[in-house]
Amino acid sequence: MATSQPPLRLTSHRNLVYRLVFSTLTGRTVHISQIRASSPTNPGLAAHEISFLRLLESVTNGAQMEISYTGTILVYKPGLITGSSSGTAASTGGVIRHELPAGCTRGVSYFLIPLCLMAPFSKAPIKVLFTGPGVITSSTPNGDMSVDSVRTAILPLFNQFGIFNNIELRVLRRSNPGPNGRGGGGEVQLVFGHQVRLPKTLHLMNAGKIKRIRGVAYSVGVAASNNARMIDVARGILNPLSPDTYIFSDVSSAPMVPAHDKNNPSAKKKIGLGFGLSLVAESSTGCLFSADVASPPSGGQPPEDIGKACAYQLLETISKGGCVPPAAMPTMLGLMTMGSEDVGRIQVGREVLADENVIQLARDLAQFGAPGWGLRDAPGENPDGDIIISVVGRGIGNVGRKVA
């Protein structure tokens, strides 16, 4: 008689979201302990991590989770990724409405990128509407990228794996981080309708030359002139390097969220005011490099500084070499690991490979049974010292899809 595998025991809150994603994709139960156990003020799971668990529960069927009284221990038993075909989504036109709490300090990309990693392996299309007072569409001080960068620098990467149909990310209401970096009141809708049996094997070993730069400058509840000032400074830096540079301008009003007041129960207040810039550089071989900078929640930074910082951040990301920036590594390596049982190869810069999040990702994938990565120097003239990572796919694929 077959026996179930014992739970995989992990510690710390580091990389918690991707551990849950890989647990769901591989069907392996995880026991995560010591989640901020040493914090004297906020031990255990944070609000955004609990919200991600709720999101997992919405897009899967049969998932079970147990959280200790202090929140420092989580046991997660994954279910089948069903997408928007069952549960409450069936009664709302197939759209899962996921509300983020007002105290959320992470951008909505914190939820979008892992969700997109699971979406190709879903039984049915995934349609999620992120709403509520905690939705932040811009980049955040915590390092989350903006929704614009997810749409233009992360989603196109799925083309490399043969996943390209009916994928759309809409920004219905923009927002920046609110007071103390909490909440924003934005609204974002993700439609991911292309499910595959197995992602294609990837061989990406030529970064090419940068051929064009695109971007979005956004202002929320502030003067439109902020966009023009950011664009002017950024173009002044980038135009001599890439003449094909175009930055769109998007101006929107500030979102309104409920303001709890016993004298006026229906009172509302503006939140999420600010501005920011998202830039994406595309190479001749389809490699994408992104940069994101937004005004701090405390204010006091002129738009010229934002434009300058974003342009230099983009150049720094490109200078790290390779075909993939650090922000896209979990998506690329996750799809390569879950793909067909063949060896895929990808070229990355040494600085990208040395990033602590990438190292943690490699350790976690090994814990979930993935073979170790093969590393070697890139062939030919290699002045930047790029590394070729060889990844053997596990052939897990989409267990809910009956046809290839």
Side-chain angles (χ1 to χ4, degrees):
M1 185 177 68
T3 58
S4 60
Q5 290 180 303
L8 188 61
R9 295 186 176 272
L10 304 168
T11 59
S12 148
H13 66 281
R14 295 291 304 275
N15 221 30
L16 176 71
V17 167
Y18 289 106
R19 287 173 172 177
L20 295 173
V21 168
F22 295 135
S23 169
T24 306
L25 292 175
T26 59
R28 187 77 185 271
T29 303
V30 291
H31 178 284
I32 306 175
S33 59
Q34 300 179 28
I35 303 174
R36 298 186 182 88
S38 59
S39 174
T41 54
N42 297 302
L45 293 167
H48 54 270
E49 292 165 344
I50 296 174
S51 184
F52 184 78
L53 286 169
R54 287 176 40 238
L55 179 61
L56 272 181
E57 197 174 24
S58 300
V59 299
T60 59
N61 184 18
Q64 300 175 14
M65 52 195 75
E66 298 176 11
I67 303 174
S68 67
Y69 181 74
T70 58
T72 57
I73 300 176
L74 167 66
V75 179
Y76 174 70
K77 183 178 181 181
L80 180 68
I81 309 174
T82 55
S84 303
S85 62
S86 62
T88 57
S91 61
T92 57
V95 178
I96 298 171
R97 186 181 178 91
H98 185 70
E99 293 198 11
L100 299 184
C104 185
T105 58
R106 304 301 298 261
V108 73
S109 60
Y110 174 87
F111 304 89
L112 283 172
I113 297 175
L115 183 61
C116 290
L117 182 55
M118 291 190 298
F121 307 98
S122 173
K123 185 177 181 180
I126 285 183
K127 302 176 183 178
V128 180
L129 176 66
F130 291 91
T131 184
V135 178
I136 303 172
T137 64
S138 72
S139 57
T140 67
N142 293 318
D144 300 312
M145 61 168 48
S146 68
V147 174
D148 300 285
S149 292
V150 174
R151 187 182 70 244
T152 56
I154 299 296
L155 292 184
L157 298 176
F158 287 86
N159 294 347
Q160 310 269 7
F161 299 91
I163 305 167
F164 48 81
N165 289 331
N166 195 20
I167 301 174
E168 190 173 359
L169 183 59
R170 306 187 190 108
V171 185
L172 306 180
R173 189 186 302 135
R174 288 191 178 275
S175 63
N176 278 52
N180 300 316
R182 298 178 181 274
E187 198 166 288
V188 176
Q189 184 174 14
L190 171 69
V191 177
F192 205 113
H194 192 170
Q195 280 66 50
V196 294
R197 179 68 188 91
L198 282 170
K200 292 181 179 178
T201 303
L202 178 68
H203 298 279
L204 186 59
M205 295 182 289
N206 182 11
K209 302 292 183 182
I210 300 300
K211 65 177 182 179
R212 61 169 162 255
I213 297 174
R214 295 292 182 265
V216 176
Y218 49 88
S219 293
V220 183
V222 294
S225 61
N226 291 299
N227 281 0
R229 292 160 66 182
M230 286 188 293
I231 293 172
D232 183 62
V233 173
R235 285 179 62 92
I237 297 171
L238 298 174
N239 271 2
L241 305 173
S242 175
D244 188 4
T245 301
Y246 191 87
I247 304 175
F248 298 87
S249 177
D250 189 352
V251 182
S252 59
S253 57
M256 306 283 285
V257 297
H260 300 291
D261 186 352
K262 61 181 180 180
N263 297 324
N264 185 7
S266 61
K268 292 187 177 182
K269 64 177 180 180
K270 289 185 178 181
I271 194 174
L273 282 73
F275 49 86
L277 180 62
S278 164
L279 295 174
V280 175
E282 182 182 353
S283 76
S284 55
T285 56
C287 300
L288 299 168
F289 305 89
S290 64
D292 265 301
V293 180
S295 57
S298 57
Q301 194 165 6
E304 287 82 4
D305 289 355
I306 300 294
K308 182 179 180 181
C310 193
Y312 282 128
Q313 187 184 108
L314 179 66
L315 297 178
E316 183 181 2
T317 303
I318 297 171
S319 71
K320 292 181 179 179
C323 303
V324 184
M329 288 291 279
T331 299
M332 299 293 279
L333 293 170
L335 289 172
M336 291 173 72
T337 303
M338 299 301 150
S340 57
E341 297 180 84
D342 196 0
V343 180
R345 299 175 179 85
I346 190 169
Q347 181 171 325
V348 301
R350 286 183 181 271
E351 286 188 49
V352 176
L353 184 60
D355 186 272
E356 58 180 345
N357 293 322
V358 176
I359 294 173
Q360 185 64 50
L361 178 69
R363 291 171 176 167
D364 289 341
L365 284 172
Q367 291 274 5
F368 283 99
W373 296 346
L375 304 177
R376 60 183 175 88
D377 290 330
E381 294 184 7
N382 187 18
D384 299 326
D386 287 353
I387 302 292
I388 299 291
I389 301 179
S390 300
V391 181
V392 180
R394 287 199 58 191
I396 293 174
N398 190 343
V399 297
R401 187 176 174 86
K402 296 182 180 180
V403 295

